[in-house]
Each structure stands twice: as structure tokens, then as C-alpha cells.
Amino acid sequence: MKENKYDNSDFFSQYSQMSRSVEGLKGAGEWHVLQKMLPDFAGKRVLDLGCGFGWHCVYAIEHGATHVTGIDISKKMLEEARKRNPSPFIEYQCMAIEDFDFQPDTYDIVISSLTFHYLESFTDICRKINNCLTPGGTFVFSVEHPVFTAYGNQEWHYDQDGKPIHWPVDRYFTEGRRTAIFLGEEVVKYHKTLTTYINGLLQTGFEICELIEPQPDERLLDTIPGMKDELRRPMMLLISAKKKK
């Protein structure tokens, strides 16, 4: 994940104009589902991997968490997080997830939003997260769906009039590096199958509690361009798991 496009000024400017950047959690198409999957934060210590603007961090504090550590590789992201979502109970740290020191039994809850498809190994990060969670601790995350990442460029196939015909799915079982076009830039992501996500959890000491392929929030279908097309194929995968006691 150590590629960092978000500190590129043009890229960051475009990202800052996205609905989820402007409106926060309510502007994220999956939030109406993810919110229901989150555990009780009261009295808990929370780690947010790939925290971005800090929306999930401050949500955890507002719902009773005693301390949140937010990790992100982007200085620009964290500058915005400190402006938009400051709290004496949130500690923002600028580093790659791979470089974070996952100390044993440090957190009760680990959350991550749309980050792990930037990491080459899902099993490695699961093992580290399991180590830093207390027994029975909760791990909730979202990733881009394997159907979305398989082909690579993450673009619809269009007809001659520019209307999307279908979403290409190819090389599904060939995991690894993909070059996607996101906000006009080439971005490196790592495709993983659904099997890899499930077994990565099961083989590192987690019990899976819930798995959802969310549909967009209905209220966003008419307000965000292209959102209705998200009903034609899954874009995200949400999973909730617990560390075995």
C-alpha cells in the first residue's frame, strides 16, 4: 500500500469533492448498512486503519469510545482530519498500515473503510489485527468487491453513445496487482477473491459474524451521478468478525 496518490495536489483536490468527502458518513453509499454492523463503542479503544478524513474516528468517540487511533499514509488526509474531526481522544498517526506497531491486546475494536484492496496480503494484516485485539474484540471492514476489482481498470464497457453496457469480470482467480483508473489517475490495487477474504479471517483466529454486499442508499440514487448503475453489480464487500476468546 505504500503508494500514496492522496498527497498529489490534483488527485487530492478531486477526492475532496466526492460526496463522502464533503458530506462525511452520510455521503457514503454504504454507510446505511455499515453503521448497523458496528459494535457498541462505549468504553472501548478503537483502531481505524486508513482513517482518511477521520469520519469513523469521530463517530466512535461520539458513541462512547474512550480513545481512537487513526492511521493513514497521507499527510493531506490527516491535515483535513485534524481540521474537520478533531478530538483530544483521537490520535492521528501518519504512516503506512504495514509500518504500524500492532501491540498485543491493545484495542477492543478495529475498523477499516475501503483500504485493504491497497494491501498485497490480506492474511498478513488479519494476523496483525488479531494480535492487537483483546479476546472477543471486533473487526469490521469494507473493501472493494472482488467482482469490482477482478478485471483491473474498474471501468464499464460503453456503447457508441457512451452508455454503460456491462461491467467486465475477467482473471477472477488470478489474484494480485491491478492498475485501476481512479479520479483520472492510475492507482495500484490488489485483487483478491472472496475465498481469500473469508479464509484470511478464519485462518487467523476470527469468527465471521456478518457479510453483506451493500446496495446504495436509496436517497443517494437520484442525487449522485452514476449511483443507479451501482445496482447492476456489487462494488463493496462489508464483513464483521470477532476474535475468538
Side-chain angles (χ1 to χ4, degrees), residues 27-142:
E30 76 282 6
W31 174 242
H32 66 297
V33 178
L34 181 62
Q35 183 181 22
K36 297 174 183 177
M37 298 174 68
L38 295 174
D40 181 6
F41 286 105
K44 302 297 175 61
R45 299 162 297 168
V46 180
L47 174 63
D48 184 353
L49 297 172
C51 66
F53 285 3
W55 300 113
H56 296 91
C57 295
V58 78
Y59 179 88
I61 292 298
E62 290 172 349
H63 287 78
T66 57
H67 183 269
V68 178
T69 303
I71 305 298
D72 204 282
I73 195 173
S74 167
K75 292 181 180 179
K76 287 184 178 293
M77 285 282 205
L78 293 182
E79 286 173 2
E80 286 299 314
R82 293 184 179 104
K83 291 176 186 176
R84 302 186 190 205
N85 294 303
S87 169
F89 305 108
I90 300 175
E91 178 187 4
Y92 292 115
Q93 296 185 26
C94 187
M95 66 178 68
I97 290 173
E98 298 94 325
D99 297 333
F100 183 68
D101 185 12
F102 292 84
Q103 288 292 312
D105 301 328
T106 309
Y107 298 99
D108 306 296
I109 300 169
V110 175
I111 57 178
S112 183
S113 174
L114 300 176
T115 298
F116 295 142
H117 44 264
Y118 292 112
L119 302 183
E120 186 169 2
S121 173
F122 181 66
T123 302
D124 286 351
I125 193 63
C126 284
R127 189 174 293 111
K128 292 176 180 179
I129 290 169
N130 189 279
N131 181 61
C132 80
L133 277 170
T134 53
T138 303
F139 176 28
V140 182
F141 67 94
S142 63

Side-chain angles (χ1 to χ4, degrees), residues 193-210:
T193 64
L194 181 60
T195 298
T196 291
Y197 283 118
I198 298 302
N199 285 344
L201 292 164
L202 296 177
Q203 293 170 2
T204 55
F206 284 102
E207 298 175 347
I208 295 172
C209 302
E210 194 170 14

